[in-house]
Amino acid sequence: MRAVICRAPGELALEERPEPERGEGEVLVRVRRMGICGTDFHIYEGSHPYLQYPRIMGHELSGEVLEAPGGSPLAPGDTVIVNPYVSCGTCIACRAGKPNCCVQIAVLGVHRDGGMCETIAVPERNLYPAGSLTLDQAACIEFLAIGAHAVARSGLGGGARTLVIGAGPIGLGTALFAGLAGGDVSIMDREADRLAFALKSRIAARGIGVGDGSAELLRQATEGDGFDVVFDATGSRASMESAFGHVAHGGTLVLVSVVAETIAFSDPEFHKREMTVLGSRNALRADFERVVAAIETGRVPLDHLLTHRTSLAGALADLPRWAGQKSGLVKALVEIG
């Protein structure tokens, strides 16, 4: 089979690899679509903190079943959504129904080879029927599910004054599902075109640019009270630390992004607010199902979110170019096969 390998930072190659063998409890899947994620750009650039090279990237996947175990509800030809978080099934988190934060988690395309290739073997429990979704739509479920999970973690209710910091794909997905949960959503970013996109797509009610004047705009959005729920989806330590100051008394901060650093905050500011701080990692099957339902009922503007396309061979040039030129880029899909 053909596969795109990131041999080292800044080095991609299209190689022939042996077809994977289906292990016990696994399904052989022909990969048809792969969404390019910020994680993939970080791997290419050499800034991902938890990765060993060489690596086949790709964890936002949809495909078709080639071969399934006997007795499986999946059959050859079925279109499936891939949950890329391969869990052990036995650790404390898995026993508690939280395989998204498994002690031994192996994320496709990060801890083990992913789906930037023609065929992949995946545990049956990590595949969900796509139903009426197209291959394009099915490949978008994972990144949207991260935002849906963060919103579910927050307990956000109707009318909650909500701030999402970071208007990349994860932030946009978080803002989208915060709005669907009834939040009054503001989104903040450094890039004016990302904010314009969020407003045009009706993902957020207002956009706030980072820079001079942003403090006053944030104050005006809540009449000086602060936000009931704040989500940080930037991957920036400085942003995560400053996010504490945007939370209202009695409010909640959800850290969606992760950094390989220690973050610090003022304990007096934290305590006087009686603030709730939550980490949100990956997503659960219920979040995937929530996203599927939202797409099926027309509540996700995927026509706006899917902005770029390439092929497996085309990704050799396109992925490096997009890593440095993200203007107008929201979500890019690799069409495979």
Side-chain angles (χ1 to χ4, degrees), residues 39-91:
T39 296
D40 302 313
F41 290 125
H42 294 154
I43 292 170
Y44 172 75
E45 294 165 339
S47 59
H48 196 288
Y50 309 114
L51 187 112
Q52 293 182 331
Y53 298 89
R55 179 64 71 222
I56 299 175
M57 299 180 290
H59 62 274
E60 298 178 5
L61 307 171
S62 66
E64 297 170 351
V65 173
L66 290 175
E67 182 183 318
S72 171
L74 299 173
D78 286 354
T79 300
V80 287
I81 300 158
V82 179
N83 178 336
Y85 322 127
V86 180
S87 58
C88 72
T90 59
C91 72

Side-chain angles (χ1 to χ4, degrees), residues 130-285:
S132 63
L133 300 189
T134 66
L135 288 164
D136 285 3
Q137 291 171 332
C140 294
I141 302 301
E142 189 273 341
F143 90 85
L144 291 169
I146 291 175
H149 181 71
V151 171
R153 289 273 291 151
S154 75
L156 185 152
R161 295 168 300 183
T162 304
L163 175 65
V164 177
I165 309 170
I170 300 301
L172 290 169
T174 303
L176 173 66
F177 281 90
L180 293 178
D184 176 26
V185 181
S186 301
I187 194 163
M188 184 163 68
D189 199 275
R190 295 182 180 278
E191 303 295 332
D193 62 336
R194 290 185 177 185
L195 296 176
F197 175 87
L199 298 179
K200 181 180 179 181
S201 304
R202 299 184 179 180
I203 290 174
R206 64 193 61 81
I208 298 171
V210 176
D212 294 340
S214 59
E216 177 59 21
L217 291 173
L218 288 167
R219 191 197 68 77
Q220 290 175 6
T222 63
E223 298 179 343
D225 287 337
F227 292 87
D228 301 309
V229 185
V230 176
F231 299 90
D232 189 282
T234 62
S236 162
R237 184 184 70 177
S239 177
M240 294 164 75
E241 291 178 344
S242 65
F244 283 79
H246 304 319
V247 181
H249 282 236
T252 298
L253 171 62
V254 185
L255 300 176
V256 188
S257 56
V258 60
V259 293
E261 302 169 85
T262 298
I263 66 168
F265 59 90
S266 164
D267 185 64
E269 291 297 319
F270 169 74
H271 265 90
K272 78 179 184 182
R273 287 170 167 79
E274 198 179 47
M275 186 193 306
T276 299
V277 180
L278 296 169
S280 183
R281 188 180 187 193
N282 302 327
L284 296 167
R285 179 165 187 155

